[in-house]
Each structure stands twice: as C-alpha cells, then as structure tokens.
Amino acid sequence: MTERIREFLRNRRAEGKDTEPCLVVDLEVVRENYYAFANALPDTRVFYAVKANPAHEVLSLLTQLGSCFDVASVAEAEMVLAAGATPDRISYGNTIKKERDIARAYELGIRLFAVDCTAEVEKIARAAPGSRVFCRFLHDCEGAEWPLSRKFGCEPEMAVEVLEHAHRLGLEPHGVSFHVGSQQRNVKSWDRALAAAAWIFRACAERGITLSMVNLGGGFPTKYLKEVPTVRTYGMSIFRALRKHFGNRIPETIIEPGRGMVGNAGVIETEVVLVAKKSANDEVRWVYLDIGKFGGLAETMDEAIRYPIRTPRDGGPVAPCVIAGPTCDSADVLYEKEPYQLPVSLEIGDKLLIEGTGAYTATYSSVAFNGFPPLKTYHI
Ligand SMILES: *Cc1c(COP(=O)(O)O)cnc(C)c1O
C-alpha cells in the first residue's frame, strides 16, 4: 500500500466514483521492482511475464526501463510491440502454439520460441525457419504456493532429443528453460533445476550441439501474509547454483518474473455487501464482498493465495469469517476451509483493501458474469 494509492482512492471516493470494486497499480512500485531484479542478477536479462499484468502502462514503463518480455500469444506480443518494444526483446514462451500463430509471430519479427516436444519443433521449423528455440524441461514445484502442473515441459532426457531435432531442422538450439512454480518461497529451488539444466548442456555437447542460454523462469514471490525472502537473496542463491553446476562456464541467463514484478504494486478496493450468519449460534460469519473469484480473485482457488485484507476497523477484536464473492455461483467463495480473521465490528458498506493484487487479477475477471462488469483498473 503506498501513499499514492491511498490518495487516489480518497479522491475517487470524494468524487463518488467508488460504486464498483477497482484495482489501483502504483507504477513507481513496478519501477522499483524492475531495478531490484536488475540489481540482484546483474548479468541476467529480465523478460517480464506479460500475463501477470498486461496493462499498456506497465508494458510502456518496462519498455522504457529496458526490459524484455515473455509472451504466451500473438495478442500479448502485439501489446508489447504497441508499448514500443522491438521484436528482438520478445520471447514466445508458451510451449503450446498454433502453427499460424507461430507464423504471425515470425512476421512480427519474433525469433525466439519455447518448445517441449518434437511436434512443436516441426511447427516452428516450418513457420519460423532458422529461429532460436529453447526447450522447457519438467521440474517439480515443491515449495511453491501456486505450483504448476506437468502441463509444460518434458523430461531432461527428452529435452536433449527435442533440441537435437531442432538442430536437424535448421533451427538454432539456444538453451533450456524451467519454472520452479509460482510464489516460490524457497530460494534453493533453482539449485536442483540448474543441475538438470547443466546435465542437458553436457548431453547436447556430446552430440555436437552447443547450448548457450538458461531461462530461469519466474516464481519470485510477492509478500502476502507470510514474509518472503528479498530479491537479492534469490539472486545470490541462483548465482551460487549457477557456479556450482556450470563452474566457470556460466551460460547466458534470463528470468521471467511476473508476480514478483507487479504483485505488490496493486491494491483492490472492495465493499462489504452483506454480513450474515447461517444460524443463531453460528460462530463463523459470512462476509460477502462485491468482488470474488470471477471479479479477479481467481487465485483464491483452493485458497492457494491468501491476500492481506485491511479494513477501516483494524485494531479491534476479530472473529473468524468466511469470505465470499457476490455472484450466484456457489464456487465463488474465497476463504472457507481456513476462515479469515476480520474485525467483529465490520459492517455492510465498509470498504476493504485487498493488498498484493497487482498480478493475476484484472485479466482473470470475467466479462459480465451475473452482469458484474470486469474489474476496473487504474495505473497511476
Ligand atoms: C507465468 C509464467 C511466468 C511468470 O511466473 P511468476 O511466478 O508469476 O513469476 C514466467 N514464465 C512462464 C513461462 C510463465 O508461464
């Protein structure tokens, strides 16, 4: 929460524009985060994961600061180009692409693509001849609060085959990538992945293929309720792991922070619509907000991400609450398995602030489920 956001919300309220929930992102915080990454890993290039928050203001700022971009679709690539970045600063990092989208990306000037199987290599060889490819390998996401499934990546042994196939088809086998899982609070997670990366480098070298790049992925956390290590700590741990596994032949590296770049820059303001109990002696109150899973808080799925919530009545006695959204879908409950402690004096009409919501919120909000409009966003 910054003074700039506080002031913005005060003015919005004074103008009577606070009828719907909204997300406010402080671009100064994004700027600080970018510099923190750049300083923590000075020899590593930053490829911002656009999906975390693709707002034009965020992309423009990061373009000016010198960032590169990880995109998952042609539409995201076009947003990055519209923000002023050149196509050589874009990595098409989705391993699942239609061949016509690869062709379109190639037309736009993009020459760096992720793959994790030979069929995808063949699409790229046809639609983006001569491009650089990197192979994503599987890595278990132990320790991550928002773990990624086996959807992306292949076993390291197969990565060698995939890269060799790329070489045969006239592509440039550039390197490997992995993702340690989002909101990864264990700074040591990169160590095991880098051991596998170094193994792939050696196996490829034995086949006459020289790889040069390791994409260290995202996973850098935002502070929610629990403390998280600093970006500097991640940087030092990653550098140690690179030294350990690559010796004095450290490859070119890139990182793809999403959450860590924008998460703490955003705050959502929401209104309490109803406070109720299910029976007279129910100990748990139900607090219904005007935002829920379909309004942008999708990452509360399985109660994975627990956002800090501030109320105007903080400081007084608290009691457990189930927190739910406003839609008529029974899945629209944010925290129930582990109820959330909120002030006993909380009332209908109170405005709450949900912190750490700059990443993975606005784009998750549905178009008009139950007629609720998509989350309003302001980038200041
Ligand atoms: C989503 C994504 C990221 C960003 O992950 P965070 O955990 O938000 O940093 C990075 N790389 C790829 C390939 C992704 O899909």
Side-chain angles (χ1 to χ4, degrees), residues 83-200:
T86 46
D88 56 315
R89 287 162 70 177
I90 296 177
S91 164
Y92 199 149
N94 193 343
T95 52
I96 304 157
K97 303 173 283 298
K98 288 181 178 167
E99 190 163 327
R100 58 179 175 276
D101 289 337
I102 298 169
R104 178 75 186 120
Y106 187 75
E107 265 172 34
L108 292 174
I110 297 167
R111 297 290 182 270
L112 181 60
F113 297 87
V115 294
D116 66 0
C117 66
T118 53
E120 193 73 14
V121 165
E122 283 165 16
K123 285 189 215 166
I124 292 171
R126 284 190 298 265
S131 291
R132 288 175 157 180
V133 294
F134 55 92
C135 186
R136 178 147 168 190
F137 64 86
L138 274 171
H139 178 72
D140 78 69
C141 299
E142 201 185 313
E145 289 183 13
W146 187 259
L148 308 170
S149 64
R150 288 173 59 83
K151 181 169 174 183
F152 309 104
C154 61
E155 292 294 344
E157 289 78 11
M158 186 178 263
V160 178
E161 305 292 330
V162 168
L163 289 164
E164 192 175 33
H165 197 58
H167 179 67
R168 264 198 303 272
L169 296 185
L171 296 168
E172 194 181 318
H174 190 44
V176 296
S177 75
F178 58 86
H179 197 299
V180 295
S182 203
Q183 188 68 8
Q184 177 55 265
R185 287 166 57 230
N186 184 356
V187 299
K188 298 211 175 84
S189 305
W190 279 262
D191 181 77
R192 218 158 20 90
L194 282 170
W199 181 86
I200 297 170

Side-chain angles (χ1 to χ4, degrees), residues 220-261:
F220 306 94
T222 270
K223 186 183 173 303
Y224 296 113
L225 289 171
K226 296 177 205 154
E227 283 301 324
V228 295
T230 61
V231 170
R232 217 176 103 77
T233 313
Y234 282 86
M236 288 189 300
S237 182
I238 288 172
F239 185 72
R240 265 197 304 274
L242 281 166
R243 267 257 175 277
K244 176 170 149 197
H245 299 294
F246 288 90
N248 55 10
R249 305 176 74 176
I250 291 185
E252 182 192 318
T253 50
I254 70 177
I255 50 170
E256 300 174 329
R259 189 186 305 279
M261 187 72 84

Side-chain angles (χ1 to χ4, degrees), residues 36-57:
F37 281 116
N39 291 332
L41 288 155
D43 296 322
T44 299
R45 275 202 299 164
V46 176
F47 281 66
Y48 169 60
V50 171
K51 72 173 185 291
N53 183 333
H56 183 74
E57 295 88 337

